[in-house]
Amino acid sequence: MNASMYKSAVKPTWCPGCGDFGVLAGITQALAEMGWEPENVVAVSGIGCSSRFPFFLSTYGFHSIHGRAVPVAIGMRIARPDLKVVVFGGDGDGFAIGGGHFLHGARRNVDVTYVIMDNHIYGLTKGQTSPTSDLKFKTKSTPYGSVEPPINPVQIAICSGATYVARGFAGDPKGLKDLFVRGMRHKGFALIDVLSPCVTYNRVDTFKSFKERIAAIPADHDRADLSAALTLATDPERFFTGVLFEIQRPVFEDRVEALKGYSDRSWIEVVEDVFDSMS
Amino acid sequence: MAKQFIKGNEAVVKGAILAGCQAYYGYPITPASEIAEAAAYYLPLLGRTFLQAESEIGAINMVYGAASAGIRVMTASSSPGISLKQEGISYAAGAELSCVVVDITRGGPGLGNIAPEQSDYNQMVKGGGHGNYKLIVLAPNCAQEMCDLTMHAFDLADRYRTPVVVMADGFVGQMMEPVEFPAPVVDLPPKPWATAGTPETYKNLITSIDLEPDDLERHINHLYAKYAEIEANEVRYEEYMVDDADLVCIGFGVVSRILQSGIERVRAEGKKVGLLRPITLWPFPEKRLARLADEGKKLLVMEMNKGMMVDDVRLAVQHRVPVGFYGRVGGNVPSGREVYDQIMLHLEAV
């Protein structure tokens, strides 16, 4: 397996220099390292610049609905638990219009890898404030500066029940690859929030500004310690990158499977029994 | 399987099971909740899946995801919940995914009430979501049809790669009647467009986007060619004493049952009145209606709304014959007496 076999013939529609190119490089390398056959992988996305991801991968692709990638992925996982599902989207898709779904995907601990390309702006619609935009941030929809404080994706993920939470930086594809591989190996809801600059509509949160605030997670950090993870996740100055939180908890698919009654008989015989028992 | 005395809502689930539905995603709402509850009880026993989603929107999107994997899947709700699902239904129509949506209709607008109305006719038959698409809409009028038409809905959804709606007023959903179960469906059609997990299909991409105007126009024309085929092949209606009738009453769902009683009473007095009940609200039996107009029959449309299907009847007959209308709303179901009086009133006007 090599990274190029996971790339489709479609040329990415992103602007030159977009952070999402780094994510694409990291993902294809991670898929190669996992050695997953393309026919066993489904890329699911919502709508937005980063949600064009499935077009650029040579796997099954599902470019779904704005904000709805998580429930779509749940439907897919339950229908085909043998297929690996990787979800792609942006901060607006995942935490504004899709915020409600995100919480429930995390608390259910659905076994998916969710990659957020977090650029603090709406890019596809040409530059409006997003749920991760900073207070006072000026955009076309906040010409006098945003009056809303941002939400923190990794904090929300940890508190909602996600079992693998990492933060990465698009300027470090090699580091991203490692975070993705670890998230793909993890059984459960794995969120990787990638600081991925929009070079066209966000002149504040740039490769340079992100790089200045990035700090490596201390080597002695206990990833199973929720309080320690939250302390790092919510640091007001620095973006700690790496794996913030990682625990094991039963996944949703296994709980659903455990409810199912099994029988050696044909399902039609079982239907007759079940129907007649209630008549 | 023995005949059972069950609610229409439960008959929906049993029909879905017999049709091979593998997964149900739903959200609680009156008067449709019995469908979710029956699905929650039966599906796990059969090794299938029920999930109460976080919202109506979550439920339709889980359906969207499961449909893309090629399994038979459904959701159900009632009017306000269906309004929330319209986005997902539009996308599924655009991406050509097979799924079944059941709407047990109640009073509106807004929260309205939980009593039966038929005021979802426009949001389902005319497409409540955005864009150029149509939905097949089946309108059962008894518990037996809740089972049979749900099974038929899954077949149509697979045959035409489209969402199919079963729309029944809350009365039909809540009414208990005997149901006989058809044979289960064992042979399901292959779906090479789905995420099949095979080396030949892994490049399948499911989307509803076409940025180039010519591409999108081509896609919409493709959808409408499919809809023309559905209009040619899938119209269903039922008639009662229409041949010699001077006045033909038209109603669907529970209204058709009350109309039939009224017609029997009027017939006993020697008056020539018949009934046409559309079973498919789209495709609509417009050709049959046009023929009735050719024969000069007067029409009386009765609905539990302020007049929605009556527009389609008027279009079908092009104002060549008088089309009367009587509607009750707010969850009121017309009484036998009201129906009798209306028939007599419209007969006298002949």
Short mmCIF file of all heavy atoms in Angstrom, two decimals, chain A residues 38-39 55 58-65 68 71-72 75-76 78 80 101 104 108 252 260-261 267-268 271-272 274-275 278-279, chain B residues 1 4 14 42 44 47-49 51 54 57-58 61-62 65 68 87 91 185-186 196-199 201-207:
data_model
loop_
_atom_site.label_atom_id
_atom_site.label_comp_id
_atom_site.label_asym_id
_atom_site.label_seq_id
_atom_site.Cartn_x
_atom_site.Cartn_y
_atom_site.Cartn_z
N PRO A 38 -9.06 -0.09 -0.30
CA PRO A 38 -10.00 1.01 -0.60
C PRO A 38 -11.47 0.56 -0.55
O PRO A 38 -12.33 1.37 -0.18
CB PRO A 38 -9.61 1.43 -2.02
CG PRO A 38 -8.20 0.99 -2.18
CD PRO A 38 -8.04 -0.26 -1.34
N GLU A 39 -11.74 -0.69 -0.89
CA GLU A 39 -13.15 -1.13 -0.89
C GLU A 39 -13.69 -1.38 0.51
O GLU A 39 -14.85 -1.74 0.68
CB GLU A 39 -13.36 -2.37 -1.76
CG GLU A 39 -12.72 -3.64 -1.25
CD GLU A 39 -11.38 -3.93 -1.91
OE1 GLU A 39 -10.69 -2.95 -2.29
OE2 GLU A 39 -11.03 -5.11 -2.05
N PHE A 55 -14.31 13.51 -2.68
CA PHE A 55 -14.05 13.56 -4.13
C PHE A 55 -12.57 13.27 -4.42
O PHE A 55 -12.23 12.81 -5.49
CB PHE A 55 -14.40 14.94 -4.70
CG PHE A 55 -15.87 15.21 -4.78
CD1 PHE A 55 -16.55 15.75 -3.70
CD2 PHE A 55 -16.60 14.90 -5.93
CE1 PHE A 55 -17.91 16.00 -3.77
CE2 PHE A 55 -17.95 15.15 -6.01
CZ PHE A 55 -18.61 15.69 -4.92
N SER A 58 -9.73 7.90 -3.32
CA SER A 58 -10.14 6.77 -4.15
C SER A 58 -10.66 5.66 -3.23
O SER A 58 -10.08 4.58 -3.13
CB SER A 58 -8.94 6.29 -4.97
OG SER A 58 -9.35 5.31 -5.87
N THR A 59 -11.73 5.99 -2.51
CA THR A 59 -12.44 5.03 -1.66
C THR A 59 -13.92 5.27 -1.93
O THR A 59 -14.25 6.12 -2.76
CB THR A 59 -12.18 5.31 -0.16
OG1 THR A 59 -12.72 6.60 0.14
CG2 THR A 59 -10.69 5.29 0.17
N TYR A 60 -14.81 4.56 -1.25
CA TYR A 60 -16.21 4.96 -1.32
C TYR A 60 -16.31 6.38 -0.78
O TYR A 60 -15.61 6.74 0.18
CB TYR A 60 -17.09 4.05 -0.46
CG TYR A 60 -17.27 2.67 -1.01
CD1 TYR A 60 -16.73 1.57 -0.37
CD2 TYR A 60 -17.98 2.46 -2.19
CE1 TYR A 60 -16.89 0.29 -0.88
CE2 TYR A 60 -18.14 1.19 -2.72
CZ TYR A 60 -17.60 0.11 -2.05
OH TYR A 60 -17.75 -1.14 -2.56
N GLY A 61 -17.18 7.16 -1.39
CA GLY A 61 -17.33 8.54 -0.94
C GLY A 61 -18.79 8.87 -0.74
O GLY A 61 -19.66 8.41 -1.48
N PHE A 62 -19.08 9.65 0.28
CA PHE A 62 -20.45 10.11 0.51
C PHE A 62 -20.38 11.57 0.92
O PHE A 62 -20.03 11.91 2.04
CB PHE A 62 -21.12 9.26 1.59
CG PHE A 62 -22.63 9.42 1.64
CD1 PHE A 62 -23.40 8.51 2.32
CD2 PHE A 62 -23.27 10.47 1.02
CE1 PHE A 62 -24.79 8.64 2.38
CE2 PHE A 62 -24.64 10.62 1.05
CZ PHE A 62 -25.40 9.69 1.75
N HIS A 63 -20.67 12.43 -0.04
CA HIS A 63 -20.70 13.88 0.16
C HIS A 63 -22.14 14.18 0.53
O HIS A 63 -23.01 14.23 -0.33
CB HIS A 63 -20.30 14.50 -1.19
CG HIS A 63 -20.29 16.00 -1.23
ND1 HIS A 63 -21.07 16.71 -2.10
CD2 HIS A 63 -19.58 16.90 -0.54
CE1 HIS A 63 -20.84 18.01 -1.95
NE2 HIS A 63 -19.94 18.15 -1.00
N SER A 64 -22.43 14.31 1.84
CA SER A 64 -23.84 14.25 2.27
C SER A 64 -24.49 15.62 2.41
O SER A 64 -24.64 16.33 1.41
CB SER A 64 -23.98 13.39 3.52
OG SER A 64 -23.54 14.07 4.69
N ILE A 65 -24.87 16.01 3.62
CA ILE A 65 -25.66 17.21 3.84
C ILE A 65 -24.94 18.08 4.87
O ILE A 65 -24.29 17.56 5.78
CB ILE A 65 -27.08 16.86 4.37
CG1 ILE A 65 -27.76 15.85 3.43
CG2 ILE A 65 -27.93 18.12 4.52
CD1 ILE A 65 -29.20 15.52 3.81
N ARG A 68 -24.64 17.15 8.68
CA ARG A 68 -25.27 15.86 8.97
C ARG A 68 -24.33 14.67 8.80
O ARG A 68 -24.78 13.53 8.74
CB ARG A 68 -26.51 15.64 8.10
CG ARG A 68 -27.40 16.85 7.92
CD ARG A 68 -28.02 17.31 9.21
NE ARG A 68 -28.80 18.52 8.99
CZ ARG A 68 -28.98 19.46 9.89
NH1 ARG A 68 -28.44 19.37 11.08
NH2 ARG A 68 -29.70 20.52 9.62
N PRO A 71 -24.74 11.70 11.71
CA PRO A 71 -25.83 10.71 11.57
C PRO A 71 -25.72 9.88 10.29
O PRO A 71 -26.07 8.69 10.31
CB PRO A 71 -27.11 11.56 11.59
CG PRO A 71 -26.69 12.97 11.45
CD PRO A 71 -25.27 13.05 11.94
N VAL A 72 -25.25 10.46 9.20
CA VAL A 72 -25.07 9.68 7.98
C VAL A 72 -24.06 8.55 8.25
O VAL A 72 -24.27 7.39 7.88
CB VAL A 72 -24.59 10.58 6.81
CG1 VAL A 72 -24.03 9.74 5.67
CG2 VAL A 72 -25.73 11.45 6.31
N GLY A 75 -25.66 5.75 10.28
CA GLY A 75 -26.47 4.87 9.42
C GLY A 75 -25.60 3.92 8.63
O GLY A 75 -25.89 2.73 8.51
N MET A 76 -24.51 4.45 8.10
CA MET A 76 -23.57 3.63 7.32
C MET A 76 -22.93 2.56 8.20
O MET A 76 -22.86 1.39 7.82
CB MET A 76 -22.50 4.57 6.74
CG MET A 76 -21.33 3.89 6.10
SD MET A 76 -21.79 2.96 4.64
CE MET A 76 -22.22 4.30 3.54
N ILE A 78 -23.94 1.16 10.93
CA ILE A 78 -24.85 0.11 11.39
C ILE A 78 -25.23 -0.80 10.23
O ILE A 78 -25.36 -2.01 10.39
CB ILE A 78 -26.07 0.73 12.10
CG1 ILE A 78 -25.59 1.21 13.47
CG2 ILE A 78 -27.21 -0.27 12.24
CD1 ILE A 78 -26.60 2.00 14.24
N ARG A 80 -23.30 -1.36 7.55
CA ARG A 80 -22.11 -2.07 7.12
C ARG A 80 -21.01 -1.97 8.18
O ARG A 80 -20.01 -1.27 7.99
CB ARG A 80 -21.60 -1.51 5.78
CG ARG A 80 -22.49 -1.83 4.58
CD ARG A 80 -22.66 -3.32 4.35
NE ARG A 80 -21.41 -4.00 4.09
CZ ARG A 80 -21.03 -4.45 2.89
NH1 ARG A 80 -21.83 -4.33 1.86
NH2 ARG A 80 -19.86 -5.06 2.74
N HIS A 101 -25.73 16.98 16.46
CA HIS A 101 -25.41 15.60 16.07
C HIS A 101 -24.06 15.18 16.64
O HIS A 101 -23.87 14.03 17.02
CB HIS A 101 -25.37 15.46 14.55
CG HIS A 101 -26.65 15.85 13.88
ND1 HIS A 101 -27.86 15.26 14.19
CD2 HIS A 101 -26.92 16.76 12.92
CE1 HIS A 101 -28.82 15.80 13.44
NE2 HIS A 101 -28.27 16.71 12.67
N HIS A 104 -24.11 13.69 20.13
CA HIS A 104 -24.71 12.36 20.25
C HIS A 104 -23.85 11.28 19.59
O HIS A 104 -23.86 10.14 20.03
CB HIS A 104 -26.13 12.39 19.69
CG HIS A 104 -27.02 13.28 20.51
ND1 HIS A 104 -27.61 12.87 21.67
CD2 HIS A 104 -27.35 14.58 20.36
CE1 HIS A 104 -28.28 13.88 22.20
NE2 HIS A 104 -28.15 14.93 21.42
N ARG A 108 -22.49 8.31 22.06
CA ARG A 108 -22.76 6.92 21.66
C ARG A 108 -21.47 6.15 21.47
O ARG A 108 -21.47 4.94 21.41
CB ARG A 108 -23.56 6.90 20.35
CG ARG A 108 -24.99 7.36 20.50
CD ARG A 108 -25.71 7.39 19.15
NE ARG A 108 -27.08 7.84 19.31
CZ ARG A 108 -27.65 8.83 18.62
NH1 ARG A 108 -26.97 9.46 17.69
NH2 ARG A 108 -28.89 9.17 18.84
N PHE A 252 -20.81 1.84 20.25
CA PHE A 252 -22.25 1.78 19.98
C PHE A 252 -22.62 0.55 19.16
O PHE A 252 -23.60 -0.15 19.45
CB PHE A 252 -22.65 3.06 19.24
CG PHE A 252 -24.11 3.17 18.94
CD1 PHE A 252 -25.01 3.31 19.98
CD2 PHE A 252 -24.58 3.14 17.64
CE1 PHE A 252 -26.37 3.42 19.72
CE2 PHE A 252 -25.93 3.25 17.38
CZ PHE A 252 -26.82 3.38 18.42
N LYS A 260 -29.38 -7.93 19.57
CA LYS A 260 -30.02 -8.73 18.52
C LYS A 260 -30.18 -10.19 18.94
O LYS A 260 -29.24 -10.80 19.43
CB LYS A 260 -29.20 -8.66 17.23
CG LYS A 260 -29.19 -7.28 16.60
CD LYS A 260 -28.34 -7.26 15.36
CE LYS A 260 -28.36 -5.87 14.71
NZ LYS A 260 -27.44 -5.80 13.58
N GLY A 261 -31.39 -10.69 18.76
CA GLY A 261 -31.64 -12.10 19.02
C GLY A 261 -31.21 -12.92 17.82
O GLY A 261 -31.53 -12.58 16.70
N TRP A 267 -35.07 -16.45 8.90
CA TRP A 267 -35.71 -15.27 9.50
C TRP A 267 -37.22 -15.31 9.31
O TRP A 267 -37.97 -14.77 10.11
CB TRP A 267 -35.10 -13.98 8.97
CG TRP A 267 -35.41 -13.60 7.55
CD1 TRP A 267 -34.71 -13.94 6.45
CD2 TRP A 267 -36.50 -12.79 7.09
NE1 TRP A 267 -35.28 -13.39 5.34
CE2 TRP A 267 -36.38 -12.69 5.69
CE3 TRP A 267 -37.55 -12.14 7.71
CZ2 TRP A 267 -37.27 -11.97 4.90
CZ3 TRP A 267 -38.45 -11.42 6.92
CH2 TRP A 267 -38.30 -11.34 5.54
N ILE A 268 -37.67 -16.01 8.29
CA ILE A 268 -39.12 -16.08 8.07
C ILE A 268 -39.78 -16.87 9.20
O ILE A 268 -40.83 -16.49 9.72
CB ILE A 268 -39.42 -16.71 6.70
CG1 ILE A 268 -38.91 -15.76 5.60
CG2 ILE A 268 -40.91 -16.98 6.53
CD1 ILE A 268 -38.89 -16.35 4.24
N VAL A 271 -39.85 -14.61 12.14
CA VAL A 271 -40.92 -13.61 11.98
C VAL A 271 -42.26 -14.22 12.39
O VAL A 271 -43.04 -13.61 13.14
CB VAL A 271 -41.00 -13.11 10.51
CG1 VAL A 271 -42.32 -12.39 10.27
CG2 VAL A 271 -39.85 -12.17 10.21
N GLU A 272 -42.53 -15.43 11.92
CA GLU A 272 -43.82 -16.07 12.23
C GLU A 272 -43.98 -16.22 13.74
O GLU A 272 -45.02 -15.90 14.31
CB GLU A 272 -43.91 -17.43 11.55
CG GLU A 272 -44.17 -17.28 10.05
CD GLU A 272 -44.15 -18.60 9.31
OE1 GLU A 272 -43.86 -19.64 9.93
OE2 GLU A 272 -44.43 -18.58 8.10
N VAL A 274 -42.42 -14.49 16.12
CA VAL A 274 -42.49 -13.19 16.78
C VAL A 274 -43.87 -12.56 16.57
O VAL A 274 -44.47 -12.05 17.50
CB VAL A 274 -41.37 -12.26 16.23
CG1 VAL A 274 -41.60 -10.83 16.68
CG2 VAL A 274 -40.00 -12.74 16.69
N PHE A 275 -44.39 -12.63 15.34
CA PHE A 275 -45.71 -12.06 15.07
C PHE A 275 -46.77 -12.81 15.87
O PHE A 275 -47.63 -12.21 16.51
CB PHE A 275 -46.04 -12.17 13.57
CG PHE A 275 -45.41 -11.10 12.74
CD1 PHE A 275 -44.28 -10.42 13.17
CD2 PHE A 275 -45.95 -10.75 11.52
CE1 PHE A 275 -43.70 -9.43 12.39
CE2 PHE A 275 -45.39 -9.76 10.73
CZ PHE A 275 -44.26 -9.11 11.17
N MET A 278 -47.41 -12.19 19.55
CA MET A 278 -48.05 -10.94 19.94
C MET A 278 -49.51 -10.89 19.52
O MET A 278 -50.16 -9.88 19.69
CB MET A 278 -47.31 -9.77 19.30
CG MET A 278 -45.92 -9.55 19.83
SD MET A 278 -45.96 -9.11 21.58
CE MET A 278 -46.58 -7.43 21.47
N SER A 279 -50.02 -11.96 18.89
CA SER A 279 -51.39 -11.87 18.35
C SER A 279 -52.42 -12.13 19.44
O SER A 279 -52.09 -12.62 20.50
CB SER A 279 -51.57 -12.85 17.20
OG SER A 279 -51.37 -14.15 17.66
N MET B 1 -49.03 -17.29 8.79
CA MET B 1 -49.16 -16.43 9.97
C MET B 1 -50.63 -16.10 10.21
O MET B 1 -51.37 -15.81 9.26
CB MET B 1 -48.36 -15.13 9.75
CG MET B 1 -46.89 -15.29 10.10
SD MET B 1 -45.92 -13.87 9.59
CE MET B 1 -45.66 -14.24 7.86
N GLN B 4 -54.23 -10.90 12.54
CA GLN B 4 -54.12 -10.19 13.82
C GLN B 4 -54.97 -8.93 13.82
O GLN B 4 -55.16 -8.30 12.77
CB GLN B 4 -52.66 -9.78 14.08
CG GLN B 4 -51.75 -10.95 14.35
CD GLN B 4 -50.33 -10.51 14.64
OE1 GLN B 4 -50.04 -9.32 14.75
NE2 GLN B 4 -49.45 -11.48 14.77
N LYS B 14 -44.91 -4.27 10.72
CA LYS B 14 -44.93 -5.67 10.32
C LYS B 14 -44.76 -5.80 8.80
O LYS B 14 -44.07 -6.70 8.33
CB LYS B 14 -46.20 -6.34 10.85
CG LYS B 14 -46.09 -6.44 12.39
CD LYS B 14 -47.19 -7.22 13.05
CE LYS B 14 -46.76 -7.49 14.50
NZ LYS B 14 -47.83 -8.06 15.32
N TYR B 42 -39.65 -5.20 17.75
CA TYR B 42 -39.50 -6.34 16.84
C TYR B 42 -38.13 -6.44 16.17
O TYR B 42 -37.60 -7.53 15.98
CB TYR B 42 -40.57 -6.28 15.73
CG TYR B 42 -41.96 -6.61 16.23
CD1 TYR B 42 -42.95 -5.65 16.26
CD2 TYR B 42 -42.26 -7.88 16.70
CE1 TYR B 42 -44.23 -5.94 16.73
CE2 TYR B 42 -43.53 -8.19 17.17
CZ TYR B 42 -44.51 -7.21 17.18
OH TYR B 42 -45.75 -7.51 17.65
N PRO B 44 -34.88 -5.78 16.85
CA PRO B 44 -33.75 -6.50 17.47
C PRO B 44 -34.00 -8.01 17.58
O PRO B 44 -33.06 -8.80 17.45
CB PRO B 44 -33.64 -5.86 18.86
CG PRO B 44 -34.24 -4.50 18.68
CD PRO B 44 -35.37 -4.70 17.71
N GLY B 47 -32.68 -9.63 14.63
CA GLY B 47 -31.30 -9.34 14.26
C GLY B 47 -31.16 -8.08 13.44
O GLY B 47 -30.21 -7.90 12.70
N ARG B 48 -32.14 -7.17 13.58
CA ARG B 48 -32.10 -5.91 12.82
C ARG B 48 -31.97 -4.75 13.81
O ARG B 48 -31.91 -4.96 15.01
CB ARG B 48 -33.37 -5.79 11.97
CG ARG B 48 -33.56 -7.03 11.07
CD ARG B 48 -34.80 -6.91 10.23
NE ARG B 48 -35.10 -8.20 9.57
CZ ARG B 48 -36.12 -8.39 8.75
NH1 ARG B 48 -36.93 -7.38 8.49
NH2 ARG B 48 -36.34 -9.56 8.21
N THR B 49 -31.97 -3.54 13.28
CA THR B 49 -31.62 -2.40 14.13
C THR B 49 -32.73 -1.37 14.25
O THR B 49 -33.33 -0.97 13.24
CB THR B 49 -30.37 -1.69 13.58
OG1 THR B 49 -29.32 -2.65 13.52
CG2 THR B 49 -29.94 -0.53 14.48
N LEU B 51 -33.04 2.51 16.14
CA LEU B 51 -32.33 3.53 16.91
C LEU B 51 -33.21 4.77 17.04
O LEU B 51 -33.73 5.28 16.04
CB LEU B 51 -31.01 3.90 16.23
CG LEU B 51 -30.26 5.09 16.84
CD1 LEU B 51 -29.85 4.83 18.28
CD2 LEU B 51 -29.03 5.43 16.02
N GLU B 54 -31.28 11.53 17.76
CA GLU B 54 -31.29 12.72 18.59
C GLU B 54 -32.30 13.76 18.08
O GLU B 54 -32.61 14.71 18.80
CB GLU B 54 -29.89 13.34 18.67
CG GLU B 54 -29.30 13.81 17.35
CD GLU B 54 -28.53 12.70 16.64
OE1 GLU B 54 -28.78 11.52 16.95
OE2 GLU B 54 -27.69 13.02 15.77
N ILE B 57 -34.12 15.26 12.23
CA ILE B 57 -33.09 15.48 11.21
C ILE B 57 -32.03 14.39 11.32
O ILE B 57 -31.56 13.84 10.33
CB ILE B 57 -32.48 16.89 11.37
CG1 ILE B 57 -33.57 17.95 11.16
CG2 ILE B 57 -31.33 17.10 10.40
CD1 ILE B 57 -33.14 19.35 11.55
N GLY B 58 -31.65 14.06 12.57
CA GLY B 58 -30.71 12.96 12.77
C GLY B 58 -31.24 11.67 12.18
O GLY B 58 -30.53 10.94 11.49
N ASN B 61 -31.15 11.50 8.37
CA ASN B 61 -29.77 11.39 7.88
C ASN B 61 -29.16 10.03 8.17
O ASN B 61 -28.30 9.56 7.42
CB ASN B 61 -28.92 12.53 8.43
CG ASN B 61 -29.17 13.81 7.66
OD1 ASN B 61 -28.66 13.97 6.55
ND2 ASN B 61 -30.03 14.67 8.18
N MET B 62 -29.58 9.37 9.23
CA MET B 62 -29.17 7.98 9.44
C MET B 62 -29.76 7.10 8.35
O MET B 62 -29.10 6.19 7.84
CB MET B 62 -29.61 7.51 10.83
CG MET B 62 -28.81 8.17 11.95
SD MET B 62 -29.49 7.82 13.58
CE MET B 62 -28.57 9.00 14.57
N GLY B 65 -27.63 7.61 5.28
CA GLY B 65 -26.39 6.84 5.35
C GLY B 65 -26.62 5.36 5.13
O GLY B 65 -25.89 4.71 4.37
N SER B 68 -27.42 4.46 1.54
CA SER B 68 -26.25 4.47 0.65
C SER B 68 -25.48 3.16 0.75
O SER B 68 -24.75 2.79 -0.15
CB SER B 68 -25.34 5.65 0.98
OG SER B 68 -24.63 5.38 2.17
N GLU B 87 -35.35 18.32 4.21
CA GLU B 87 -34.02 18.52 3.64
C GLU B 87 -33.41 17.18 3.24
O GLU B 87 -32.95 16.99 2.11
CB GLU B 87 -33.11 19.20 4.67
CG GLU B 87 -31.68 19.33 4.21
CD GLU B 87 -30.72 19.69 5.35
OE1 GLU B 87 -30.74 19.01 6.40
OE2 GLU B 87 -29.96 20.63 5.19
N TYR B 91 -32.38 15.59 -0.53
CA TYR B 91 -31.04 15.07 -0.87
C TYR B 91 -31.12 13.61 -1.34
O TYR B 91 -30.43 13.21 -2.28
CB TYR B 91 -30.10 15.17 0.33
CG TYR B 91 -29.45 16.53 0.48
CD1 TYR B 91 -30.19 17.63 0.90
CD2 TYR B 91 -28.10 16.72 0.21
CE1 TYR B 91 -29.60 18.88 1.04
CE2 TYR B 91 -27.50 17.97 0.35
CZ TYR B 91 -28.25 19.04 0.77
OH TYR B 91 -27.67 20.27 0.91
N VAL B 185 -40.85 -10.99 1.64
CA VAL B 185 -40.04 -10.80 0.43
C VAL B 185 -38.68 -11.44 0.68
O VAL B 185 -38.01 -11.12 1.66
CB VAL B 185 -39.86 -9.30 0.14
CG1 VAL B 185 -38.98 -9.09 -1.09
CG2 VAL B 185 -41.21 -8.63 -0.04
N VAL B 186 -38.28 -12.36 -0.20
CA VAL B 186 -36.99 -13.02 0.03
C VAL B 186 -35.91 -12.58 -0.96
O VAL B 186 -34.74 -12.49 -0.60
CB VAL B 186 -37.12 -14.56 0.02
CG1 VAL B 186 -37.60 -15.04 1.37
CG2 VAL B 186 -38.04 -15.04 -1.06
N ALA B 196 -20.78 -1.36 -1.51
CA ALA B 196 -20.95 -2.81 -1.43
C ALA B 196 -19.76 -3.52 -0.79
O ALA B 196 -19.84 -4.70 -0.46
CB ALA B 196 -21.21 -3.36 -2.83
N GLY B 197 -18.64 -2.82 -0.62
CA GLY B 197 -17.46 -3.48 -0.06
C GLY B 197 -16.81 -4.44 -1.04
O GLY B 197 -16.30 -5.48 -0.63
N THR B 198 -16.82 -4.11 -2.32
CA THR B 198 -16.20 -4.97 -3.34
C THR B 198 -15.18 -4.18 -4.14
O THR B 198 -15.33 -2.97 -4.32
CB THR B 198 -17.27 -5.52 -4.33
OG1 THR B 198 -17.91 -4.40 -4.95
CG2 THR B 198 -18.30 -6.37 -3.60
N PRO B 199 -14.14 -4.87 -4.66
CA PRO B 199 -13.10 -4.16 -5.42
C PRO B 199 -13.66 -3.45 -6.67
O PRO B 199 -13.11 -2.46 -7.11
CB PRO B 199 -12.13 -5.27 -5.82
CG PRO B 199 -12.37 -6.36 -4.85
CD PRO B 199 -13.81 -6.28 -4.46
N THR B 201 -16.47 -1.80 -6.93
CA THR B 201 -17.37 -0.66 -6.68
C THR B 201 -16.78 0.42 -5.78
O THR B 201 -17.45 1.40 -5.49
CB THR B 201 -18.66 -1.15 -6.00
OG1 THR B 201 -18.33 -1.75 -4.74
CG2 THR B 201 -19.41 -2.15 -6.85
N TYR B 202 -15.51 0.28 -5.35
CA TYR B 202 -15.07 1.17 -4.27
C TYR B 202 -14.96 2.63 -4.68
O TYR B 202 -14.86 3.51 -3.84
CB TYR B 202 -13.75 0.68 -3.65
CG TYR B 202 -12.51 0.88 -4.51
CD1 TYR B 202 -11.81 2.09 -4.48
CD2 TYR B 202 -12.03 -0.14 -5.32
CE1 TYR B 202 -10.68 2.27 -5.25
CE2 TYR B 202 -10.90 0.03 -6.08
CZ TYR B 202 -10.23 1.24 -6.05
OH TYR B 202 -9.12 1.42 -6.81
N LYS B 203 -15.02 2.88 -6.01
CA LYS B 203 -14.98 4.29 -6.42
C LYS B 203 -16.36 4.94 -6.43
O LYS B 203 -16.50 6.10 -6.80
CB LYS B 203 -14.30 4.42 -7.79
CG LYS B 203 -12.81 4.10 -7.71
CD LYS B 203 -12.08 4.35 -9.00
CE LYS B 203 -10.60 4.01 -8.81
NZ LYS B 203 -9.84 4.09 -10.06
N ASN B 204 -17.39 4.19 -6.03
CA ASN B 204 -18.74 4.77 -5.97
C ASN B 204 -18.74 6.01 -5.08
O ASN B 204 -18.26 5.97 -3.96
CB ASN B 204 -19.74 3.76 -5.37
CG ASN B 204 -20.09 2.65 -6.35
OD1 ASN B 204 -19.69 2.68 -7.51
ND2 ASN B 204 -20.84 1.66 -5.87
N LEU B 205 -19.32 7.08 -5.62
CA LEU B 205 -19.42 8.33 -4.85
C LEU B 205 -20.88 8.75 -4.81
O LEU B 205 -21.51 8.85 -5.86
CB LEU B 205 -18.57 9.42 -5.49
CG LEU B 205 -18.63 10.79 -4.82
CD1 LEU B 205 -17.88 10.79 -3.50
CD2 LEU B 205 -18.04 11.87 -5.73
N ILE B 206 -21.40 8.92 -3.59
CA ILE B 206 -22.80 9.31 -3.46
C ILE B 206 -22.85 10.79 -3.13
O ILE B 206 -22.27 11.25 -2.15
CB ILE B 206 -23.48 8.45 -2.38
CG1 ILE B 206 -23.60 7.02 -2.91
CG2 ILE B 206 -24.85 9.01 -2.03
CD1 ILE B 206 -23.69 5.99 -1.87
N THR B 207 -23.54 11.55 -3.98
CA THR B 207 -23.60 13.00 -3.80
C THR B 207 -24.83 13.52 -4.53
O THR B 207 -25.41 12.82 -5.35
CB THR B 207 -22.32 13.68 -4.34
OG1 THR B 207 -22.43 15.09 -4.14
CG2 THR B 207 -22.11 13.42 -5.82
#
